[in-house]
Amino acid sequence: MSGSEATAPAPSPSPAAAADQGTGRDAILRAARRAFTQRPYAEVTIRGIAADAGVSPSLVVKHFGRKEELFNTVADFGPAAEELFDAPLDMLGRHMVVTLVRRRRELKSDPLLRVVFSLGNQDERSLLRDRFHEQVTEALIARLPGSERTLRAELIAGHLLGLGATLSLHREGAGSLATPEHLADLYAPALQTLITG
């Protein structure tokens, strides 16, 4: 083949994506989130998660340990909340929207939406609700100024879940084509009103 007919090299994956190609960690975590949010804890197996992720069960154990430890990782909203709330109050609404959309696109999953699958469940999945309240809603309450902080924090959390649900529902819709910044232009003002009171 001549030089003019050579195909361009494929773009290099991001460092995080390249690391995951070798380990499967992100694929395991996505599969575990699906499993634990959609089925009772007792029905979930390491073998089933491994099959969904396309890896061996031993790799799941290597990265996350036993099923209980993997569930605790899935139920941990702390890192997502820290990232979402890491901005000054006067810019927090915009930051939350841009960060949420970017993380969804990078991770191919929503950092918060899995809590919705725990609603109405009385098994171990209810731990997702407890953790969400503790790590997301209470973290917001602590940051907000003014009155009715609990109500405003709950409404802000609802807005974030609503955005994630809308983007999931319309995966191929207009939102998938919009930049995170443009989505923030439209969505963040309502959040910012709740933030500043």
Side-chain angles (χ1 to χ4, degrees):
M1 176 183 294
S2 70
S4 62
E5 295 173 323
T7 58
S12 298
S14 69
D20 185 55
Q21 285 176 357
T23 66
R25 192 177 194 284
D26 287 347
I28 294 166
L29 195 50
R30 285 193 297 272
R33 285 175 174 168
R34 283 190 295 272
F36 285 123
T37 56
Q38 295 173 9
R39 294 196 299 278
Y41 180 88
E43 293 180 9
V44 176
T45 65
I46 292 290
R47 187 174 300 282
I49 289 169
D52 187 21
V55 300
S56 68
S58 62
L59 191 61
V60 176
V61 173
K62 176 183 176 186
H63 283 300
F64 296 100
R66 296 171 297 133
K67 184 170 88 166
E68 179 182 0
E69 294 163 320
L70 181 53
F71 179 81
N72 283 332
T73 300
V74 167
D76 186 4
F77 295 95
E82 287 177 17
E83 190 174 10
L84 285 169
F85 306 154
D86 186 24
L89 282 177
D90 62 339
M91 300 186 316
L92 185 56
R94 182 172 188 83
H95 171 80
M96 287 193 293
V97 174
V98 169
T99 302
L100 180 75
V101 174
R102 284 184 179 159
R103 294 302 285 160
R104 281 180 56 88
R105 291 177 180 177
E106 290 169 6
L107 299 175
K108 306 291 189 231
S109 68
D110 191 280
L112 301 178
L113 197 55
R114 63 191 180 275
V115 74
V116 173
F117 292 98
S118 72
L119 302 179
N121 292 312
Q122 298 305 315
D123 61 14
E124 289 85 349
R125 288 173 289 180
S126 64
L127 177 61
L128 287 169
R129 292 195 302 276
D130 297 340
R131 290 274 180 86
F132 186 91
H133 180 77
E134 174 190 331
Q135 297 175 328
V136 177
T137 309
E138 289 185 6
L140 276 168
I141 293 168
R143 289 218 54 201
L144 297 179
S147 61
E148 296 188 295
R149 293 181 305 141
T150 299
L151 176 58
R152 286 162 44 220
E154 290 173 0
L155 292 173
I156 291 166
H159 273 276
L160 293 172
L161 292 171
L163 177 59
T166 298
L167 294 174
S168 293
L169 182 63
H170 303 288
R171 287 189 191 280
E172 308 299 325
S176 68
L177 303 174
T179 66
E181 291 75 18
H182 184 55
L183 289 170
D185 291 341
L186 298 172
Y187 204 82
L191 279 171
Q192 195 60 45
T193 297
L194 289 167
I195 290 164
T196 56

